[in-house]
Amino acid sequence: MILTVTLNTALDITYRVGALRPHASHRVSDVTERPGGKGVNVARVLAALGHGTTVTGFAGGATGRAVREHLAETPGVVDALLPVTGPTRRTIAVVDELTGDTTQLNEPGPQITPAEWGAFLDHYEELLPGAAAVALCGSLPPGVPVGAYAGLIKTARSAGVPVLLDTSGEPLRRGVAARPDLVKPNAAELAELTGSHDPSRATQDTRRRGARTVVASLGAQGLLALTPEGRWRATPPAREHGNPTGAGDSAVAGLLSGLVEHLPWPDRLARAVALSAATVLARAAGDFDRAAYEKLLAQVSVTAA
């Protein structure tokens, strides 16, 4: 199985309105709910691709119960979330059907106590021996140490489990220094980490800092990958308009599934880009349009960079 860690899980709520206008009341035409947080989104896409996944992290309060109820209805995903006292956060995506643009509102997450964090570390170590790979994804809830991902990376490496890191800011900086197998920052996160707005230079700098492989998400321009086997650029056929929530997570799922399937890097990157674009086209946050994915997969351009 593939283990995904989402320390700041969420209930993703998507509202669709005819046109979003500031200072106005809106009639919502459609509402959907999904268990969310980056690693949960990754797990759902992996399961849709046929990979057994286990989700761990924290869940608390009424929102946490709703997340777990939805997870129980998701084939291929095993719920290994730990209960906490604080309430799980909600994220609200408001989709403007006129423009296709999305406005996102993200709550901060529950306060995690030292005892709850210690219990999670024990739980994580127990899950690792059954994992083919692990993804550490998303923000840290209040109370979790800023170096949490660095410690989790070292634990995974000690267990011989490949580890992917997808976060930002100081947790990313410390995590990269712990030598993860793969990091997937977006352009802004890469620039914040390295001080360079040149993706080529910034990916090289990130590898020097400790990451074995760097796959940079460049939005509509696709992915830039710097690996021990070479450098590639993967580009979608066109810019897709819709809800971008979870698009980066779908790219992570593509990379992880390609890792455990031992696919060549160009095939991994094509899958990641196609899944990301198909997620933008989906009606609900954290889902992907399968028909669009299958069409896009044949249209992604992957070239040596």
Side-chain angles (χ1 to χ4, degrees):
M1 63 89 174
I2 298 174
L3 177 64
T4 70
V5 175
T6 311
L7 297 176
N8 211 3
T9 53
L11 182 66
D12 288 340
I13 303 170
T14 303
Y15 295 135
R16 303 186 76 89
V17 300
L20 184 62
R21 301 181 304 278
H23 316 298
S25 296
H26 296 79
R27 186 175 297 278
V28 176
S29 61
D30 184 62
V31 182
T32 57
E33 288 187 354
R34 295 285 192 278
K38 294 179 74 63
V40 174
N41 293 336
V42 171
R44 185 168 45 249
V45 175
L46 285 168
L49 295 172
H51 290 276
T53 61
T54 296
V55 170
T56 193
F58 301 112
T63 310
R65 288 193 296 273
V67 166
R68 303 191 82 162
E69 289 169 1
H70 284 299
L71 282 177
E73 300 169 355
T74 307
V77 176
V78 174
D79 173 4
L81 296 171
L82 284 183
V84 292
T85 302
T88 294
R89 65 188 178 129
R90 296 163 296 178
T91 66
I92 312 296
V94 183
V95 180
D96 183 325
E97 293 184 320
L98 180 64
T99 64
D101 292 333
T102 300
T103 298
Q104 190 82 17
L105 304 172
N106 297 328
E107 296 179 354
Q111 179 76 33
I112 304 300
T113 68
E116 289 168 340
W117 177 240
F120 175 79
L121 293 177
D122 292 339
H123 185 56
Y124 176 71
E125 286 196 48
E126 292 170 357
L127 290 169
L128 278 175
V134 59
L136 307 174
C137 302
S139 61
L140 302 178
V144 172
V146 70
Y149 283 138
L152 297 179
I153 289 166
K154 292 174 182 176
T155 302
R157 287 175 57 84
S158 295
V161 180
V163 57
L164 179 151
L165 176 64
D166 183 14
T167 188
S168 60
E170 186 65 13
L172 174 61
R173 188 185 70 81
R174 297 197 187 193
V176 166
R179 306 185 62 81
D181 294 273
L182 194 157
V183 294
K184 195 213 69 64
N186 62 32
E189 292 161 351
L190 198 61
E192 181 183 9
L193 174 67
T194 65
S196 174
H197 291 274
D198 177 353
S200 179
R201 180 177 299 173
T203 52
Q204 290 176 337
D205 187 4
T206 304
R207 276 203 74 198
R208 284 194 294 268
R209 290 168 182 257
R212 186 169 186 269
T213 292
V214 183
V215 178
S217 176
L218 306 179
Q221 298 177 352
L223 299 175
L224 176 65
L226 179 60
T227 82
E229 291 80 25
R231 179 191 294 270
W232 287 274
R233 184 72 174 265
T235 309
R239 182 186 182 91
E240 305 293 351
H241 294 278
N243 183 359
T245 304
D249 308 330
S250 290
V252 168
L255 295 171
L256 274 175
S257 61
L259 168 68
V260 299
E261 293 174 28
H262 306 289
L263 295 181
W265 269 107
D267 292 344
R268 299 186 202 183
L269 296 169
R271 179 182 290 181
V273 168
L275 283 169
S276 180
T279 298
V280 173
L281 297 173
R283 288 189 62 83
D287 205 350
F288 73 96
D289 185 315
R290 183 171 289 276
Y293 162 64
E294 293 174 354
K295 180 179 179 181
L296 287 162
L297 186 59
Q299 298 175 340
V300 174
S301 170
V302 183
T303 57

